[in-house]
Amino acid sequence: MKFKQSSVLPGFNLALGYSLLYLSLIVLLPLTALFAKTMGLDWATFWAIVTEPRVVATYKVTFGASLIAALINLFVGMLIAWVLVRYPFPGKRFIDALVDLPFALPTAVAGIALATLYAPNGLMGEPLDKLGIKVAFTPLGIVLALTFITLPFVVRTVQPVLEDMERELEEAASSLGATRWQIFSKVILPTIFPALLTGFTLAFARAIGEFGSVIFIAGNMPFKSEITPLMIISKLEQYDYMGATAIAVVMLLVSFGLLLLINGLQWWMAKRLGRRK
Amino acid sequence: MSTAINNLNNKVVTTESAWVRYLLTGLALLLIAILLIVPLLSVFYEALHQGWGLYKDALIESDALSAIQLTLIVAAISLPLNLVFGVAAAWAIAKFDFKGKSILVTLIDLPFAVSPVVAGLIYVLLFGAHGWWGAWLMDNDIKIIFAVPGIVLATVFVTFPFVARELIPLMEAQGSDEEQAALVLGASGWQTFWHVTLPNIKWGLLYGVILANARAMGEFGAVSVISGHIRGMTNTIPLHVEILYNEYNFVAAFACASILALLALLTLALKSYVEWRTEQQAIEDRKHAIEAV
Amino acid sequence: MSIEIRNIVKTFGEFKALNDLSLNVESGELVALLGPSGCGKTSLLRVIAGLETPDSGQILFHGEDTTDRHVRERQVGFVFQHYALFRHMTVFENVAFGLRVRPKSTRPSDAEIKRKVHDLLQLVQLDWLADRYPAQLSGGQRQRIALARALAVEPKVLLLDEPFGALDTKVRKELRRWLRRLHDEIHVTSVFVTHDQEEALEVADRVVVMNKGQIEQIGSPSEVYDTPASPFVYQFLGDVNLFQSRVHEGWAQVGSAKFAATETSEHATVYVRPHEIDLSRIATPGAISGTITHIRLLGATVRLEVEVPDHDVVEVELTRERQQEGAWQVAETVYLIPREAKVYATV
C-alpha cells in the first residue's frame, strides 16, 4: 500500500513534513494540553463546574444571542446578497467591499464603537431609550454586537451561488407559467438553500466564540448578560485554571461539532451544485 | 421590433417590478448604513470631535507608541511564519495525492473554529506558571506568558489558516501542468517554484496575507488572555484601546481605535484591488481567447 | 537517439495502465501511439518522459538505462496536451525558459539565448508573436509555441501528447502536415499520442496501435491499415461491417457468400470495410443479397445502407461517380460483393 502517488514534482516530503510539524506545534499540541488538563478532574467535579448555575446562565446568553444574531443575518445577509447580485445602484462596488468590514475591523474597535453609539446617551441609544428600548448593557446589546460581527458570512456564501445561477432556470419556470414569487420560492430558494444554511452555521459558530466586540456593550452582569468566553477569563483571573479549562473544553467540543457540521454542509453544497471547473 | 419585445419580456421574467426593486435596494442600503457605516464613522467622530490636538496627543503618548510598535512587531513575526506554512501546506495538498488529505485540510481550518479566548488559554496551560512547562521555563528565566513570545504565539494561532486556505483551492485549480513543463525543460525544484508556481499564485498569496495581517493587528480575545496587560510592555493597540476605554479616556481610546479602523479600510481597499485585478485578468484572458480563435 | 522500452508495467490503484509493454523506437523515427482513451498511450508517453515512474521495466535511451533518471536530466522535449505554457511569461520568455534555468556554467549568454529563441520562433513561423502572452494566442499558435519551447533545449527525443487534440478540424489538418515537414527537416526521434487514426496514418512513419495497456500491432501506416493483426485493429482503423457466421469445413458462410476461415472454430466474424464492397443488380455466386434502405451523400462519397436478412444493416461506401453510374435507388434489391474481407474466429 502506497502512502503517496508517485509524482515527478519535488518537495512533497519537505512540504508535508514541515506542514505537519508546524500544525502539531502551533495547534494540536496546545489543544491536547487543554484536554490533558481536564483529565486531572474527575467526572463529578468536571460536571459540577460546567453545570454551575452561573455558568449555565452564560451558555443560555451565548447560545441564545448567537442563534438570534445568526437568524437575523440569515435574512439581512440574504437581502444584501440579493440586492448586490441582482440590482444595479450607484456605489455598488464600494458597498460590496464594505460588507467585509466586520472581518477587517478589530473586534475591540467594533465593541467600543457600538457601546458608545447605543449607550443611553449615545447617537442611537438616546432615541431608542426614549422609546423604552435599552440596548447597551443588556442581552440586546450582545445580539447587536454579534449581528455586526457575523454580518458577512451569509452574504459571502450566498452571493457566489446567486451569481452562478443560470437565468435560463427562471426563464424556463416563467415560460411554464410560474409567477415571480413562485419562481423565487420554488426555484431560487431551493438553489441557494445549502448556501444559506452554511452561512448561518458559520455565523453561529463565530458568534459563540466571540469576545472582543461583546464585552464592551454587554454590561457583563452575572446571570443576565455574561457570555461564556468571559466566564473563562474571569476564572483565569481568579487563578481557577481548572474551572477555566473545564469550560473551555465544553466550548471546544461545541466548536468541533460545528466544524464537522460545516464541513458536511459544504460537502453537501458542492454535491448539490455539481462540481464546477 | 420583435427583439425589443423579447428584451422587454426577458426583463419582466427575471426581475421584479420597479417598486419592489427600489424597496429592497433601499432596505439593504439602510441596514448597511445602520449596521456598518454608522459605527465606522462614529469611531472617527469620537476620536476627533474634541479637536486635532487631543487626537494627536493621544497617539504620540509613549504607551500608545509602544503599543503601535508591539503590534507591528507581532505582525512582522507571525505573518512570515504563517506564509511559509501556507505555501508548504498548499504545495503538499494541491499538487500531490496522499492518504488523510481531507483530515489535514480540516485540521488547518481548526483555529477558525476555536474561540479566541480558548486560543489564548491553551498557551497559558502550556507555558503559564502552573502549566506543563511553566516550572521549567521559570527555572531557566524564559518568559512566554505575559510577554511578547506569548502574544506572537496566540497571534500565529488565530491567523494560522488564512494563507493556506486561500492557496489550496487556487493551486488545485491551476493543476501542475506548468510545473511539469518546467521540469521537463530542465528546471530544478526551486527554479520551478520561483519562476512558475510563485508568479501564478502571487495574488492569492497577497490576498491571504492581507486578511491575516488585519486579523493579526486587530486580535483582541486571544492576546488579551495571554498578554497580562502591562502598559508600555505587553499591550498591543487593541489592548491599549480597552484600557483607555475602561479608564473613561474616550478620546484617547477612539484615537487609537481610529488607527485600527484606518487599517481596516486599507485592508478592504487592498482586498478589493486584488479581487478586481484577478477579475480583470480573467476577463482579459477570455476576451483574448475569443479574439484569437 | 533510439528508445527501447522493456516490459513496462504501470498501475494506478487497481487500474493496469501498462501491462508488460515493450517497444523499440528507431533513431530519427516519427512514431504514433494510437488507441482509444484509457488504452495507456498517454501513460506510456509520460513514462518515456520520466513524468511517471513505472512499477517495473526499463527505459533505455540509445542503449543507456534511463529508468531512474529524473525528468529534468532526460533531455526530452514534451509538448503537453493543453500546452502548459507559462501564462505569466511572454512567448519569448516561454521559449527561453529551458535555456535560462540551466546552471551558470552551461547557460548560454543573453545574446545567444535571444538568437536561438528567434531562430526557433522563425522555425515555427511565429517570430512576430514574441512579445505576446499565451492568453493572446490562438490554439494553433499556442501549439506551435509549445513545440518551439520543447525544441529550445535541443532534446534528443520529442514527445507530444495529443498534439492536435484541442484544435478545430481545419487548423488540425494544417498543423499535421506542418509537423510532418518539420520532422523531415530536423529529424529528431519523435513519439506522439493520438486517438485519431487518420492523424496517425497521415503523419507517422510507424504506427503503434494500443489497447488495454498492451500493443496490438506495430507497423507502417499501410501495414496496419491493410493487414490488421487483430479484430481490434481492424475496427479501430476505420469503419467496418461485421458478419457473424458459422464455420463449415473451413469456410465462414454469410448468406451465399463464403470466406476462407484460417482458424478452426465453430463461429467466426467476417470483417469488411464499407468501401471494399461492390454492388451489383445481378445475383452472382458469393454475393450477399439485401435491400437498400437509405442513401446518404457525404461530400465526395455516398453511403448506402443495405438491409441483409439475418444480419444487421450493412454500410457500403461508393464514390459519387460510381453512385451516378449505378443510379442506385432506395428499396432496390442489390447484391453485395466484398472485394476484401478478413475472418476472425469468434471466441
Side-chain angles (χ1 to χ4, degrees):
Chain A
M1 200 133 77
K2 268 193 296 182
F3 174 61
K4 177 196 94 156
Q5 279 211 342
S6 63
S7 163
V8 284
L9 294 188
F12 175 74
N13 291 331
L14 179 69
L16 185 70
Y18 178 74
S19 302
L20 288 177
L21 180 72
Y22 188 79
L23 177 77
S24 307
L25 286 180
I26 299 291
V27 181
L28 302 182
L29 180 76
L31 287 176
T32 315
L34 184 74
F35 284 104
K37 184 94 179 169
T38 20
M39 293 300 157
L41 288 173
D42 61 271
W43 176 250
T45 326
F46 176 81
W47 190 249
I49 293 172
V50 300
T51 55
E52 191 191 320
R54 186 167 160 192
V55 177
V56 172
T58 70
Y59 299 150
K60 285 182 186 157
V61 172
T62 304
F63 287 95
S66 299
L67 197 64
I68 296 168
L71 276 172
I72 291 173
N73 274 332
L74 194 61
F75 292 97
V76 174
M78 163 82 214
L79 173 69
I80 293 175
W82 179 266
V83 169
L84 281 175
V85 173
R86 294 292 173 115
Y87 305 145
F89 58 90
K92 190 164 168 167
R93 193 167 267 285
F94 171 75
I95 296 292
D96 194 2
L98 200 69
V99 167
D100 281 332
L101 182 74
F103 285 166
L105 192 71
T107 52
V109 178
I112 64 167
L114 291 173
T116 310
L117 270 177
Y118 287 89
N121 59 350
L123 181 69
M124 308 290 282
E126 207 175 340
L128 287 171
D129 200 42
K130 282 193 184 124
L131 295 170
I133 304 168
K134 292 199 192 310
V135 179
F137 319 124
T138 68
L140 194 57
I142 302 177
V143 171
L144 177 72
L146 293 179
T147 305
F148 173 87
I149 284 298
T150 59
L151 179 81
F153 284 106
V154 173
V155 183
R156 292 305 185 220
T157 47
V158 170
Q159 204 178 3
V161 182
L162 268 182
E163 266 163 8
D164 284 354
M165 236 186 100
E166 293 164 86
R167 286 288 169 110
E168 279 86 351
L169 285 179
E170 290 167 59
E171 288 171 355
S174 178
S175 73
L176 295 168
T179 64
R180 191 66 196 148
W181 176 250
Q182 285 173 321
I183 293 173
F184 179 79
S185 57
K186 290 193 195 313
V187 177
I188 299 173
L189 209 54
T191 311
I192 60 172
F193 182 70
L196 275 172
L197 203 57
T198 308
F200 172 83
T201 318
L202 283 168
F204 182 66
R206 171 71 201 266
I208 284 174
E210 180 54 27
F211 176 66
S213 61
V214 175
I215 50 156
F216 295 98
I217 202 171
N220 308 325
M221 281 168 285
F223 294 102
K224 217 183 139 206
S225 60
E226 225 176 16
I227 54 167
T228 314
L230 183 71
M231 209 60 233
I232 297 176
I233 293 214
S234 24
K235 296 251 178 213
L236 263 185
E237 278 168 356
Q238 296 154 17
Y239 301 103
D240 179 7
Y241 286 92
M242 278 302 177
T245 309
I247 298 169
V249 163
V250 172
M251 286 206 71
L252 210 52
L253 289 176
V254 173
S255 303
F256 287 170
L258 286 169
L259 184 69
L260 284 181
L261 184 65
I262 290 162
N263 272 349
L265 280 173
Q266 269 160 353
W267 176 82
W268 181 46
M269 202 161 113
K271 215 178 90 175
R272 269 285 285 270
L273 297 173
R275 291 225 153 203
R276 278 167 181 277
K277 273 272 158 176
Chain B
M1 231 351 239
S2 70
T3 48
I5 289 167
N6 271 337
N7 280 340
L8 195 71
N9 281 340
N10 268 341
K11 279 230 162 73
V12 172
V13 166
T14 55
T15 195
E16 290 68 36
S17 57
W19 71 269
V20 175
R21 290 203 311 266
Y22 291 134
L23 186 76
L24 291 179
T25 311
L27 191 60
L29 291 178
L30 182 72
L31 284 167
I32 286 174
I34 293 175
L35 282 171
L36 301 179
I37 297 175
V38 171
L40 179 66
L41 292 180
S42 80
V43 173
F44 295 103
Y45 171 77
E46 295 289 340
L48 289 165
H49 79 291
Q50 293 192 27
W52 275 101
L54 277 177
Y55 180 77
K56 218 175 67 190
D57 290 346
L59 290 185
I60 58 172
E61 184 250 343
S62 76
D63 287 349
L65 286 178
S66 63
I68 294 172
Q69 197 188 2
L70 180 62
T71 302
L72 293 175
I73 291 172
V74 168
I77 300 172
S78 57
L79 287 183
L81 286 175
N82 282 339
L83 179 75
V84 172
F85 161 74
V87 173
W91 181 265
I93 289 167
K95 306 277 182 189
F96 298 88
D97 271 320
F98 56 92
K99 288 212 169 76
K101 189 153 131 172
S102 57
I103 298 173
L104 181 59
V105 174
T106 308
L107 286 178
I108 288 174
D109 267 352
L110 203 56
F112 277 170
V114 175
S115 170
V117 171
V118 177
L121 173 70
I122 55 179
Y123 291 106
V124 173
L125 292 180
L126 277 184
F127 304 112
H130 303 280
W132 276 8
W133 300 319
W136 185 86
L137 289 170
M138 213 135 33
D139 291 342
N140 290 280
D141 204 23
I142 302 170
K143 272 190 84 72
I144 292 182
I145 298 306
F146 308 140
V148 178
I151 299 175
V152 171
L153 274 175
T155 309
V156 166
F157 183 94
V158 294
T159 57
F160 186 87
F162 279 107
V163 176
R165 67 164 16 203
E166 207 54 58
L167 289 185
I168 292 167
L170 182 66
M171 282 165 76
E172 267 174 352
Q174 285 175 348
S176 52
D177 271 12
E178 288 186 38
E179 280 81 5
Q180 289 182 10
L183 289 176
V184 175
L185 292 168
S188 69
W190 280 116
Q191 282 173 323
T192 304
F193 178 75
W194 279 111
H195 297 302
V196 176
T197 308
L198 205 56
N200 278 335
I201 60 170
K202 64 179 177 209
W203 291 109
L205 203 64
L206 183 64
Y207 195 86
V209 169
I210 291 167
L211 296 182
N213 180 60
R215 183 73 195 265
M217 291 192 171
E219 179 51 30
F220 179 75
V223 175
S224 165
V225 172
I226 220 167
S227 98
H229 302 83
I230 309 165
R231 275 190 124 156
M233 296 281 293
T234 61
N235 261 355
T236 59
I237 310 177
L239 297 179
H240 191 58
V241 168
E242 184 202 14
I243 290 183
L244 292 170
Y245 185 84
N246 287 341
E247 288 170 349
Y248 303 102
N249 190 351
F250 292 134
V251 170
F254 276 102
C256 291
S258 73
I259 306 179
L260 293 172
L262 281 175
L263 174 76
L265 289 176
L266 184 69
T267 302
L268 292 183
L270 272 173
K271 186 173 162 288
S272 300
Y273 173 72
V274 173
E275 280 164 5
W276 178 79
R277 278 283 318 217
T278 339
E279 208 174 288
Q280 266 345 68
Q281 191 64 48
I283 293 170
E284 199 97 314
D285 284 358
R286 224 172 305 138
K287 204 173 72 194
H288 284 308
I290 290 165
E291 272 172 11
V293 165
Chain C
M1 179 133 79
S2 63
I3 309 170
E4 204 181 327
I5 296 148
R6 282 190 199 157
N7 308 100
I8 292 290
V9 175
K10 174 77 191 170
T11 51
F12 295 101
E14 298 285 286
F15 180 68
K16 241 189 175 134
L18 297 172
N19 193 358
D20 194 19
L21 186 145
S22 301
L23 171 71
N24 286 325
V25 179
E26 300 301 324
S27 188
E29 226 183 351
L30 177 53
V31 168
L33 301 180
L34 174 66
S37 62
C39 74
K41 55 192 193 300
T42 295
S43 299
L44 178 58
L45 195 76
R46 290 173 66 87
V47 167
I48 299 173
L51 288 167
E52 305 281 357
T53 324
D55 300 342
S56 65
Q58 279 179 306
I59 303 284
L60 289 86
F61 280 9
H62 207 71
E64 196 187 332
D65 190 344
T66 56
T67 317
D68 296 321
R69 196 178 290 172
H70 193 271
V71 56
R72 71 176 156 263
E73 287 142 19
R74 278 199 199 191
Q75 288 185 288
V76 295
F78 198 100
V79 177
F80 290 80
Q81 187 176 2
H82 300 287
Y83 321 127
L85 292 175
F86 307 127
R87 63 200 106 173
H88 63 284
M89 295 181 198
T90 60
V91 163
F92 182 93
E93 286 303 325
N94 260 285
V95 179
F97 184 87
L99 302 171
R100 289 212 202 281
V101 295
R102 284 193 189 164
K104 270 229 168 64
S105 52
T106 57
R107 192 186 305 158
S109 69
D110 272 1
E112 179 78 1
I113 290 176
K114 198 166 175 191
R115 192 188 57 73
K116 209 159 169 196
V117 172
H118 279 294
D119 284 353
L120 278 163
L121 288 177
Q122 258 156 19
L123 182 73
V124 299
Q125 300 154 350
L126 291 175
D127 204 16
W128 51 287
L129 289 176
D131 296 325
R132 296 267 193 99
Y133 285 90
Q136 298 165 299
L137 306 180
S138 70
Q141 289 166 343
R142 280 182 215 177
Q143 218 283 322
R144 284 190 279 169
I145 296 302
L147 191 61
R149 183 178 72 176
L151 291 173
V153 292
E154 292 173 13
K156 306 229 167 81
V157 170
L158 184 62
L159 306 168
L160 306 100
D161 186 6
E162 294 275 0
F164 315 112
L167 302 170
D168 56 51
T169 326
K170 193 164 165 280
V171 184
R172 204 178 180 135
K173 284 200 166 154
E174 276 169 31
L175 272 179
R176 226 140 80 179
R177 272 169 223 138
W178 176 82
L179 178 71
R180 182 65 241 185
R181 282 202 306 274
L182 187 78
H183 184 263
D184 292 341
E185 243 174 82
I186 58 176
H187 270 300
V188 58
T189 310
S190 308
V191 179
F192 75 99
V193 156
T194 180
H195 64 269
D196 179 344
Q197 33 106 3
E198 206 181 303
E199 199 167 286
L201 297 178
E202 180 178 340
V203 180
D205 295 325
R206 276 204 304 158
V207 178
V208 177
V209 186
M210 288 180 65
N211 185 31
K212 292 179 183 160
Q214 285 177 317
I215 293 175
E216 291 275 336
Q217 189 176 6
I218 308 173
S220 69
S222 60
E223 274 167 11
V224 291
Y225 190 81
D226 294 335
T227 51
S230 67
F232 173 83
V233 178
Y234 210 117
Q235 273 186 297
F236 195 74
L237 296 176
D239 297 330
V240 66
N241 291 304
L242 306 184
F243 299 94
Q244 305 298 335
S245 66
R246 282 185 156 276
V247 180
H248 191 69
E249 288 170 357
W251 295 92
Q253 293 192 310
V254 179
S256 67
K258 282 183 177 176
F259 303 90
T262 45
E263 285 159 275
T264 48
S265 167
E266 208 174 317
H267 297 274
T269 310
V270 180
Y271 288 69
V272 184
R273 296 212 186 278
H275 66 268
E276 290 175 336
I277 299 177
D278 285 332
L279 288 186
S280 164
R281 287 198 173 88
I282 309 150
T284 47
I288 306 159
S289 71
T291 314
I292 299 178
T293 51
H294 286 283
I295 299 179
R296 257 185 262 133
L297 185 62
L298 302 169
T301 59
V302 179
R303 181 163 294 173
L304 290 80
E305 284 178 15
V306 180
E307 218 173 82
V308 175
D310 302 331
H311 292 280
D312 291 333
V313 170
V314 176
E315 285 192 343
V316 180
E317 207 172 287
L318 300 178
T319 60
R320 283 187 83 168
E321 292 100 60
R322 294 276 299 279
Q323 156 69 6
Q324 272 154 8
E325 281 166 24
W328 305 105
Q329 303 284 330
V330 172
E332 221 179 324
T333 301
V334 289
Y335 297 90
L336 308 173
I337 309 155
R339 292 195 302 271
E340 298 277 344
K342 201 147 166 69
V343 184
Y344 295 97
T346 313
V347 185

